[in-house]
Amino acid sequence: MADIRVWIVEDDPDWLRGLSGYLDSQPDLAVTFRAERPDAVREALAEGGADADVVLMDIMLQGVPAGIELAEEVSVATGARVIMLTSMEEKEFIFRSFQAGAIDYQIKSEYESLPGAIRAASARRAPISPEAAERMREEFRRLKKLEREFEVRKMRDLITPSELQLLELVDRGYSQSQIAERLVVSIRTVKNHINHVLKKLGLTGSKEAARIARDMGLFEREDGKGQG
Amino acid sequence: MADIRVWIVEDDPDWLRGLSGYLDSQPDLAVTFRAERPDAVREALAEGGADADVVLMDIMLQGVPAGIELAEEVSVATGARVIMLTSMEEKEFIFRSFQAGAIDYQIKSEYESLPGAIRAASARRAPISPEAAERMREEFRRLKKLEREFEVRKMRDLITPSELQLLELVDRGYSQSQIAERLVVSIRTVKNHINHVLKKLGLTGSKEAARIARDMGLFEREDGKGQG
DNA sequence: GGTGAGTACCATGCCAAGATGGTACTATTT
DNA sequence: AAATAGTACCATCTTGGCATGGTACTCACC
């Protein structure tokens, strides 16, 4: 089987040389391209020299986090698996790297683990390094909570207060005429509200709509007090 | 150094026995608790027998994904690191597991990697297994995009169309009187709109507000056409 | 045949939010 | 001193969304 072709983008010449030599010394890895500056990478991409299996990309290039944007370009253009290199573990960089399509985030000083990470990335069986994983888990939980809030918000924007009130009574099992009586409004008003809400949600059954609203927690009072 | 104390929650008696024996045969691991049903775990927690370093938790218990909720309870109550066990790789379960505070998600059939995963979890240097990592990366990208959309939406809800229009002209460098002239309104209207927006954003400079709006992409036309 | 749910419209009244412009200031810069 | 930006109010008018109720149906069920 052919060697895994590795690109290295790293602005520190010493690191670039050292890393390149270290990886080339591995029996199954071949460094096929090295660059110190983003332009060099973009030129290589433009010339169609897209022979990378795995790309090692330093995040900080010439003092700015240019590696992140570059990672996205390389990933899209070549389909290669990108591993970000960094000297420190910085949350925001970790998140932005994964957003940009990177497959892992490795600390430079732990370069001994790089060959393993490269092999895993190449085989599409790449875990996320321990440092990055810790941050990812935290962020993931935060984002999932946010996602739920987002859904609830969209729902609240869609359903008016009186529609919601009706759904709650439907959910409690009241019939339309009972609801009309209870709220001292015409049965027509009830039918209209429910009809509106069903249209907006693209549903055909008020029971179903009520269930959804309940599952989303839309019936909870936001005045802080329970309903006794 | 003391052994790593492992709990196993697994409703298949054969698996439970096999796994327990396998882990106990490791020199540095000690299975200190086994359970086949959630109740048994809750009892143990209630009795304060919280001596787990790492908990292996089967997701499917008696045919339902009860392990996920249980994972959250155990994680909160004992501070132990929870690794979910499963027979298949199912996206939704993976995501819900991490939401519930699990630290990894392992396929049962690959039990040879469990001792390593347990040691990593215990040492708080746990990567995310390759199978879960792939799904996490995809979901993470989706969630990050969503987060941005969320921010933009909150902004749009806060700023009215005419306020936004003014900010755009401010951003292009027009003075307040120039803007008034251009939009054929009084200078008072301009001042009012800008003042409103600054209050709402908690800022003191219209330049700053304009920059933020631009960075959020609020000036982009949503009619699909560019501005020539 | 009556009752309840759902569908498709329409009309009316109301109100909060937004857009507009006003008075009257202060602070900064040129 | 003049121009510009910002702050703190207030008044008016318009509009869109919402709540309410109406007519006129269909469909399903017992």
Side-chain angles (χ1 to χ4, degrees):
Chain A
M1 201 171 99
D3 287 350
I4 298 173
R5 294 160 301 179
V6 180
W7 285 17
I8 308 180
V9 182
E10 163 65 64
D11 67 341
D12 180 331
D14 294 336
W15 262 103
L16 182 55
R17 207 177 316 115
L19 209 53
S20 184
Y22 172 60
L23 294 179
D24 262 334
S25 76
Q26 301 284 323
D28 56 341
L29 304 183
V31 177
T32 60
F33 180 76
R34 300 166 197 75
E36 293 183 20
R37 303 180 321 115
D39 329 6
V41 180
R42 295 201 172 95
E43 278 170 32
L45 291 179
E47 285 164 17
D51 73 337
D53 295 308
V54 177
V55 177
L56 302 184
M57 174 80 65
D58 190 8
I59 286 191
M60 298 301 282
L61 298 173
Q62 290 131 7
V64 293
I68 292 181
E69 201 190 347
L70 195 55
E72 183 139 33
E73 293 176 40
V74 172
S75 166
V76 170
T78 74
R81 317 285 266 181
V82 179
I83 297 175
M84 304 305 293
L85 293 184
T86 178
S87 46
M88 74 298 202
E89 178 191 347
E90 215 277 296
K91 273 166 123 183
E92 240 357 83
F93 287 166
I94 292 180
F95 301 151
R96 284 169 58 194
S97 295
F98 280 93
Q99 269 179 83
I103 197 164
D104 199 6
Y105 183 98
Q106 293 265 342
I107 310 281
K108 273 188 194 174
S109 58
E110 300 177 13
Y111 62 89
E112 301 91 344
S113 61
L114 264 179
I118 292 171
R119 287 179 198 114
S122 163
R124 310 202 156 243
R125 277 187 50 85
I128 296 168
S129 72
E131 290 78 12
E134 194 65 34
R135 303 283 159 269
M136 287 279 279
R137 277 186 287 259
E138 298 163 6
E139 184 72 352
F140 190 79
R141 294 189 72 174
R142 191 182 69 80
L143 290 174
K144 275 293 189 180
K145 236 185 279 175
L146 197 90
E147 185 187 20
R148 186 177 168 77
E149 201 197 321
F150 191 67
E151 294 301 319
V152 170
R153 210 174 257 244
K154 280 204 293 192
M155 205 63 167
R156 270 197 200 289
D157 285 351
L158 209 59
I159 302 181
T160 68
S162 18
E163 284 164 355
L164 192 59
Q165 191 184 22
L166 287 192
L167 284 185
E168 189 168 2
L169 293 177
V170 167
D171 190 55
R172 290 202 210 153
Y174 292 98
S175 74
Q176 292 189 350
S177 38
Q178 284 173 320
I179 293 174
E181 205 178 331
R182 216 154 185 279
L183 299 182
V184 203
V185 295
S186 145
I187 178 81
R188 288 298 331 135
T189 303
V190 174
K191 276 179 177 292
N192 279 336
H193 281 319
I194 288 181
N195 196 230
H196 285 155
V197 106
L198 291 183
K199 254 195 203 165
K200 284 189 279 194
L201 299 184
L203 299 174
T204 54
S206 59
K207 288 274 187 192
E208 175 73 358
R211 199 191 51 72
I212 291 177
R214 173 164 38 78
D215 287 351
M216 288 196 122
L218 295 180
F219 296 154
E220 254 99 81
R221 303 268 167 272
E222 51 274 289
D223 58 12
K225 304 187 180 183
Q227 54 262 62
Chain B
M1 201 172 99
D3 287 350
I4 298 173
R5 293 160 302 179
V6 179
W7 285 17
I8 308 180
V9 183
E10 164 64 65
D11 66 342
D12 181 331
D14 294 336
W15 261 102
L16 181 54
R17 206 176 317 115
L19 209 52
S20 183
Y22 172 61
L23 295 179
D24 263 333
S25 77
Q26 302 283 320
D28 56 341
L29 304 184
V31 176
T32 60
F33 180 75
R34 297 166 201 75
E36 292 183 20
R37 300 179 327 112
D39 329 7
V41 180
R42 295 201 172 96
E43 278 170 31
L45 291 179
E47 285 164 17
D51 72 337
D53 294 309
V54 176
V55 177
L56 301 185
M57 175 80 67
D58 190 8
I59 286 191
M60 298 301 281
L61 298 173
Q62 290 132 6
V64 294
I68 293 181
E69 201 189 347
L70 194 55
E72 184 138 34
E73 293 176 41
V74 172
S75 164
V76 170
T78 73
R81 315 287 266 183
V82 179
I83 297 175
M84 304 305 293
L85 293 184
T86 179
S87 46
M88 74 299 201
E89 178 192 347
E90 215 277 297
K91 274 167 123 183
E92 238 1 78
F93 287 165
I94 293 179
F95 302 151
R96 284 168 59 194
S97 295
F98 280 94
Q99 266 180 85
I103 197 165
D104 198 5
Y105 183 98
Q106 292 265 343
I107 310 280
K108 274 187 195 175
S109 58
E110 299 176 13
Y111 62 90
E112 300 91 344
S113 61
L114 265 178
I118 292 171
R119 287 178 197 112
S122 163
R124 310 202 157 245
R125 276 189 49 85
I128 296 168
S129 71
E131 290 76 13
E134 193 65 33
R135 302 285 160 266
M136 287 280 279
R137 278 186 287 258
E138 299 163 5
E139 184 71 352
F140 190 80
R141 294 189 71 175
R142 189 183 70 80
L143 290 174
K144 275 293 188 182
K145 235 184 282 175
L146 196 89
E147 185 187 21
R148 187 178 168 79
E149 200 196 324
F150 192 67
E151 294 302 320
V152 170
R153 209 174 258 246
K154 280 204 292 192
M155 205 63 166
R156 271 198 197 288
D157 285 352
L158 210 58
I159 302 180
T160 68
S162 17
E163 284 164 354
L164 191 60
Q165 190 183 23
L166 287 192
L167 284 185
E168 188 168 3
L169 293 176
V170 168
D171 191 55
R172 290 202 211 153
Y174 293 98
S175 75
Q176 293 187 349
S177 38
Q178 284 173 318
I179 293 174
E181 204 178 332
R182 215 154 184 279
L183 298 182
V184 203
V185 294
S186 146
I187 179 81
R188 287 299 330 136
T189 303
V190 174
K191 276 179 178 291
N192 279 336
H193 281 317
I194 288 181
N195 196 231
H196 285 153
V197 106
L198 291 182
K199 255 195 202 165
K200 284 188 281 192
L201 298 184
L203 300 174
T204 55
S206 59
K207 288 276 187 192
E208 174 74 358
R211 198 191 51 71
I212 290 176
R214 173 165 37 78
D215 287 352
M216 287 197 123
L218 294 180
F219 297 154
E220 254 97 83
R221 304 270 167 267
E222 51 274 285
D223 57 13
K225 304 186 179 184
Q227 54 263 59

